[in-house]
Amino acid sequence: DPAALQGAADAFVRLLSQLSGIPVRAQVASDYAGVIEALRSRRVDLAFVHPVGYVLARQESGCDILVRDVWQDRTAYKASFYVRKDKGIARLEDLRGRTIAFVDPASSSGYIYPMVLLIQKGLVKNRDPKTFFKEVVFSGAHDASMRALLNGHVDAIASFDVAREQYLKDPAERERVVFVAETPEIPEAGICARDGLDPAVIGRVRAALLQIKAPAHAEILKRLYEIDGFAPADDRDYEPVRAAIELL
């Protein structure tokens, strides 16, 4: 919900401004590509980036990762292939000739990592998911994918490993969805700084971000991305993501 996210982002940057002593203004992009382009053209100084988004942004704009999210006490997660329990689908191989919803071509858990797994298992040929699936759609959002699966619009979806718990609050709905495969771990999303930003500013922003953690700031973090805070990050943390992109 862009309007809700803007309100949460405004509260977050007020806190960041207070802790860093640097005025920060927030804006919400319409898609992943827009974030990368804004960094490349220096229209923004900092950006929340998902793992693949960070790697692409670094290639395109030379940005540097400052911190990565701590989410449910983890700094890494997996992608899962979800199906409805009543469909009788037990293995990834059972999805041949079925329909699937991915999230976005640049999504780490909603496309890139799941596709790499399918390629490595020899199920997808020539990097084309239609060599395995009957129909492929992009939902644009993880929650939209989960709802499409639950409503029977697709046979399977690819999303992050706790998407079911995140988006299906009704226990009866949650019980109807299971996963049939998982990918290797993906380093968490984080915040990067554009190329050429003053190192002194970067240092102050990074120090401030590392102070924003639960329980003191739990309400703001939950409103923003339901995260617990931030941990130090380094470009080397994202080497597995680069390898996945190169394969795809």
Side-chain angles (χ1 to χ4, degrees):
D1 180 347
L5 184 56
Q6 184 67 61
D10 289 340
F12 175 75
V13 296
R14 281 196 295 271
L15 176 61
L16 180 58
S17 298
Q18 175 187 334
L19 292 174
S20 67
I22 298 169
V24 185
R25 180 172 57 86
Q27 62 188 70
V28 177
S30 59
D31 56 29
Y32 292 139
V35 175
I36 296 170
E37 174 57 26
L39 284 165
R40 191 189 65 78
S41 60
R42 298 191 176 192
R43 294 200 306 274
V44 299
D45 300 305
L46 306 164
F48 269 101
V49 282
H50 65 110
V52 167
Y54 165 66
V55 171
L56 295 176
R58 186 168 177 85
Q59 287 177 192
E60 293 289 324
S61 69
C63 67
D64 289 310
I65 195 75
L66 302 185
V67 294
R68 58 171 159 166
D69 301 350
V70 177
W71 189 46
Q72 300 186 358
D73 297 322
R74 302 182 299 170
T75 56
Y77 62 106
K78 296 179 180 181
S80 299
F81 285 88
Y82 292 97
V83 299
R84 277 173 47 183
K85 188 184 292 186
D86 62 5
K87 289 288 187 177
I89 299 169
R91 306 175 307 147
L92 200 55
E93 290 78 3
D94 295 338
L95 292 175
R96 183 178 297 278
R98 306 270 191 158
T99 59
I100 189 168
F102 291 111
V103 174
D104 183 286
S107 173
S108 307
S109 62
Y111 186 69
I112 301 288
Y113 267 67
M115 275 289 291
V116 166
L117 182 63
L118 291 164
I119 292 168
Q120 290 174 336
K121 284 183 171 291
L123 301 176
V124 163
K125 309 296 183 185
N126 302 318
R127 302 179 179 85
D128 181 0
K130 291 184 179 179
T131 59
F132 179 64
F133 297 103
K134 175 184 176 182
E135 184 182 0
V136 176
V137 298
F138 290 96
S139 69
H142 291 275
D143 55 343
S145 285
M146 189 61 69
R147 189 54 53 183
L149 176 65
L150 199 65
N151 292 338
H153 299 314
V154 292
D155 297 314
I157 65 170
S159 190
F160 57 92
D161 54 5
V162 291
R164 176 180 54 189
E165 291 74 15
Q166 178 98 352
Y167 298 122
L168 302 181
K169 302 304 183 185
D170 182 343
E173 288 187 337
R174 195 178 294 175
E175 182 68 20
R176 294 168 58 195
V177 174
V178 296
F179 69 89
V180 294
E182 282 187 324
T183 69
E185 284 195 337
I186 310 168
E188 262 292 356
I191 296 178
C192 69
R194 68 162 173 82
D195 182 44
L197 193 61
D198 185 345
V201 170
I202 290 175
R204 288 165 65 182
V205 169
R206 180 188 282 114
L209 288 169
L210 292 173
Q211 294 178 58
I212 302 176
K213 60 183 69 174
H217 305 296
E219 182 180 350
I220 286 176
L221 291 166
K222 181 175 177 59
R223 283 182 61 200
L224 187 67
Y225 286 130
E226 298 198 2
I227 58 177
D228 305 313
F230 303 97
D234 187 272
D235 180 65
R236 290 171 296 182
D237 300 337
Y238 295 85
E239 284 301 328
V241 183
R242 283 192 182 86
I245 292 173
E246 287 170 10
L247 177 63
L248 196 59

